[in-house]
Amino acid sequence: MDTSPTRPINRTSPSLHLVAILVIIGLSLVGYIAIIWAGQMHAYEPSKVVAARDLALFVPIVALFFWLTRRQRYRGEMILLTVAIFLFAIGSLMQYRLFSDPEYGSRGSARTRARQVKDQAIRLRNIRTGYDDDKKQFMFGKADAVPLEPPKQNLPVYEKSIGDILTSVNTYIPIAALFALAAGFLLFKRDNALLWLQRHSLLIALATLLPFTIAVLLFSQEGKFLGQTTPWEPVKIVFLVSFAGALADTYTHLRRTRWGLPPIRSLLPFAAIAAVPIVPFFALSDFGQMLVFFGVYAMLYIIAVRKPAHMLYAVLLVAVLFGGFYTASRLRSGFGIPRRIYFRFYMWRNTWEPPPPETWWWKPDFDRYLRAKGLSIDSDNPQQIREANREAWSDKVLQESEGLFGIYNGGIFGKGLGLGYPETVPISDSDFIYAALAEETGLLGSLAVLLAVGVFVMSGTAVGIGAADMFTKLLAAGMAAFVGFQSIVNMGGVLRLLPMTGITLPFVSHGGWSLITSFAMLGILLALSHRNSAARRLEAQEKPAWEFHPVR
């Protein structure tokens, strides 16, 4: 007779994660105080109202934690939520650091003036605290004649009052992201919703494709829709659900191969859904998102089919895609690839070397630079053309070059919050936030973010492994893969290991739909983890605690 109890379901204690969240809040408070102190040293006053707003956003986060654990009786793994909150806290802190700096967001002479005032404040503070009376007397005639610090600068691009806070999108977007998390959790934990999504995957893909294509072809410019919104963010999850549903319906047929290839009648519908985003992404010249989608699709195909030959084909497909763009970017004609993608690859290979001014993909940007600066150059003066061309190229690759310099200057421990110069990198709150983080928190802060992303991906993959059916298995793996691949493409571009594609860092970068989509994916992963745990608990209750073995 075996009377040993059924093996319990292992998961980390929710109380432990609540303590971790409170620690994150405490560290964030210390970070905001450090940024305010550093701003005062540099002769500007970061908004304490904005800092209070950012810290107040942790209230609905804690409420969401108790809603999951108490009201919804969540039984899945909480580490996904804790890691996402950690990444969100870092992103909010760095955005506060950047937008509270008067130099960041200023243009032209105003930006130069902001830098001069900051430098003058530091210089005078160093003289007053580091020089003895003899040096002060030598420099200013009297020891007590050191000039006063310049007056505090105004903040031209940031919320200043409670009224600004209440009407700011920076307040509403994180709250909308938390609602997206709750909606994703409530929807995807239901059996009937998952079954409906799987059965109608092809219809969902086709219904999404039409408005998405219209938004891309008619209302998008340089990869943006309605200002700074990227059209693919709102439909990313929909495309993934459609692909997972189609693959879950056909994977058994795709395994029946001949010469390593699946039957055409099974491959065509699946390939049609897989190819749905290709044309709009090509029209957007969005190589980064195309690379992410192909990586996710290839990984899900390998998970479902599990054929070594297909794994080889998937790797070759991704290699051919990347290699084709790389090869085309080395040809003068561009071989038909969009101008924006050609520029990304050339900048990756030749960051410090400008192309000739008459190059087909560079000339429009060069002419735009001349008009913006009000410059007129003599076409018969090669030296003048070369200098203007080099200045225009330096301005175009300023993000990439300044980001690399900032990462190098950060060293191991960083310059300290508010003490570096990430404000010199244009739009570093979005695509280059990893560079800003590396400069002020150093290698340790960069590795912390990298480790957090790795933990998120591994936990999401574990949710997929624990799923009982192929559809939810692919959904969980796909959500985790999206976060992982997008993080790789973003950080690889910042570090110049990959072409810079203008893709955001999930949960960290400043953005609207990007943050909302990331939290919606988190809610879906939490729902699938909850379903896995509930299914194992039900199985454990139905299984007898002991079995009778007759004595032989």
Side-chain angles (χ1 to χ4, degrees):
M1 180 183 299
D2 183 6
T3 58
S4 60
T6 305
R7 181 174 62 86
I9 300 170
N10 294 323
R11 65 166 184 156
T12 52
S13 170
S15 299
L16 178 63
H17 289 283
L18 178 59
V19 172
I21 292 172
L22 294 177
V23 170
I24 292 171
I25 296 174
L27 292 176
S28 297
L29 176 61
V30 173
Y32 282 101
I33 293 174
I35 292 172
I36 293 173
W37 174 76
Q40 293 171 346
M41 285 182 56
H42 288 81
Y44 65 89
E45 188 75 34
S47 173
K48 296 181 178 66
V49 175
V50 174
R53 186 274 312 275
D54 290 353
L55 291 170
L57 288 174
F58 284 108
V59 174
I61 289 175
V62 174
L64 179 68
F65 175 88
F66 284 107
W67 176 78
L68 284 170
T69 56
R70 302 297 182 185
R71 187 69 179 269
Q72 298 298 318
R73 299 185 181 279
Y74 180 73
R75 294 295 179 263
E77 179 56 65
M78 295 294 300
I79 194 170
L80 286 163
L81 179 63
T82 305
V83 169
I85 292 173
F86 172 74
L87 292 172
F88 172 73
I90 288 180
S92 298
L93 194 65
M94 292 309 303
Q95 289 157 25
Y96 177 74
R97 156 68 182 96
L98 290 166
F99 283 108
S100 64
D101 194 314
E103 184 178 352
Y104 191 73
S106 300
R107 298 293 181 267
S109 60
R111 186 166 194 170
T112 303
R113 171 63 180 167
R115 167 58 63 87
Q116 291 174 345
V117 171
K118 291 194 300 182
D119 290 345
Q120 179 70 357
I122 290 295
R123 189 179 301 112
L124 292 175
R125 181 180 293 270
N126 290 338
I127 291 174
R128 191 164 49 253
T129 59
Y131 285 21
D132 56 25
D133 291 342
D134 292 338
K135 289 184 178 180
K136 293 176 182 177
Q137 184 174 356
F138 176 78
M139 294 179 66
F140 303 103
K142 294 181 180 180
D144 56 355
V146 180
L148 297 176
E149 292 183 20
K152 295 288 191 298
Q153 302 185 66
N154 293 323
L155 305 178
V157 293
Y158 211 46
E159 303 99 330
K160 302 177 183 178
S161 65
I162 296 179
D164 294 337
I165 295 298
L166 295 178
T167 58
S168 172
V169 294
N170 295 325
T171 302
Y172 297 135
I173 286 176
I175 295 176
L178 296 178
F179 275 109
L181 186 157
F185 178 82
L186 292 174
L187 178 64
F188 280 80
K189 78 170 187 176
R190 298 169 54 191
D191 292 337
N192 58 347
L194 289 171
L195 183 61
W196 189 90
L197 290 172
Q198 183 177 353
R199 286 178 176 175
H200 299 85
S201 57
L202 180 59
L203 181 63
I204 293 172
L206 295 177
T208 307
L209 178 62
L210 179 60
F212 177 56
T213 304
I214 292 175
V216 168
L217 297 180
L218 300 182
F219 300 101
S220 298
Q221 185 176 8
E222 295 186 354
K224 301 297 182 181
F225 171 71
L226 296 178
Q228 293 300 314
T229 301
T230 45
W232 41 260
E233 281 292 354
V235 300
K236 184 190 298 183
I237 296 176
V238 179
F239 281 144
L240 176 59
V241 170
S242 302
F243 183 83
L247 187 54
D249 289 338
T250 59
Y251 77 97
T252 55
H253 302 291
L254 294 173
R255 287 177 178 174
R256 302 187 186 119
T257 60
R258 185 177 183 183
W259 302 101
L261 295 174
I264 296 298
R265 64 179 180 275
S266 302
L267 184 62
L268 284 180
F270 161 75
I273 292 181
V276 160
I278 292 179
V279 174
F281 284 156
F282 200 83
L284 283 171
S285 302
D286 198 333
F287 174 76
Q289 227 17 257
M290 195 184 300
L291 189 64
V292 170
F293 263 83
F294 266 103
V296 172
Y297 282 3
M299 192 197 74
L300 294 187
Y301 187 91
I302 292 170
I303 290 174
V305 178
R306 290 182 292 177
K307 289 284 187 178
H310 288 189
M311 183 181 298
L312 178 61
Y313 293 151
V315 173
L316 287 176
L317 182 62
V318 174
V320 167
L321 174 69
F322 189 86
F325 280 112
Y326 180 80
T327 303
S329 70
R330 298 183 68 89
L331 302 176
R332 289 185 177 275
S333 64
F335 204 62
I337 67 173
R339 183 176 69 88
R340 189 160 169 254
I341 297 179
Y342 196 108
F343 162 72
R344 299 287 188 181
F345 272 88
Y346 184 91
M347 182 178 68
W348 179 44
R349 294 184 289 105
N350 306 277
T351 305
W352 320 110
E353 185 63 32
E358 296 299 324
T359 306
W360 65 273
W361 58 269
W362 169 236
K363 182 173 174 52
D365 288 322
F366 178 60
D367 293 339
R368 189 181 301 118
Y369 174 82
L370 295 179
R371 289 194 299 269
K373 297 294 184 180
L375 300 176
S376 59
I377 57 176
D378 185 0
S379 58
D380 296 328
N381 189 335
Q383 179 65 24
Q384 189 179 20
I385 295 175
R386 280 195 300 270
E387 290 179 359
N389 187 54
R390 185 169 294 278
E391 291 176 3
W393 181 252
S394 298
D395 182 76
K396 191 69 175 178
V397 300
L398 181 65
Q399 274 187 304
E400 185 81 14
S401 57
E402 290 291 337
L404 290 172
F405 291 144
I407 293 172
Y408 173 79
N409 290 330
I412 296 178
F413 300 103
K415 296 293 185 181
L417 289 173
L419 301 179
Y421 293 95
E423 65 273 11
T424 60
V425 183
I427 321 180
S428 57
D429 60 285
S430 182
D431 303 344
F432 277 80
I433 199 166
Y434 192 68
L437 177 75
E439 180 175 357
E440 301 215 327
T441 65
L443 180 63
L444 295 181
S446 304
L447 289 179
V449 170
L450 186 60
L451 179 63
V453 171
V455 170
F456 186 94
V457 173
M458 291 178 63
S459 301
T461 304
V463 173
I465 293 174
D469 63 281
M470 183 57 69
F471 181 55
T472 53
K473 188 183 295 292
L474 294 176
L475 278 181
M479 300 296 170
F482 258 120
V483 173
F485 278 110
Q486 190 165 325
S487 299
I488 290 173
V489 173
N490 174 272
M491 291 185 285
V494 171
L495 297 173
R496 204 164 167 259
L497 300 175
L498 292 171
M500 190 61 209
T501 58
I503 203 169
T504 55
L505 185 58
F507 298 106
V508 180
S509 292
H510 179 74
W513 278 108
S514 175
L515 187 65
I516 294 172
T517 304
S518 297
F519 271 94
M521 288 185 174
L522 171 62
I524 295 171
L525 281 171
L526 291 174
L528 299 179
S529 178
H530 176 73
R531 285 172 51 84
N532 293 349
S533 181
R536 291 197 302 270
R537 186 176 297 273
L538 181 62
E539 180 183 354
Q541 290 175 353
E542 294 177 350
K543 184 177 179 180
W546 55 271
E547 295 180 2
F548 176 74
H549 298 279
V551 179
R552 295 182 181 274

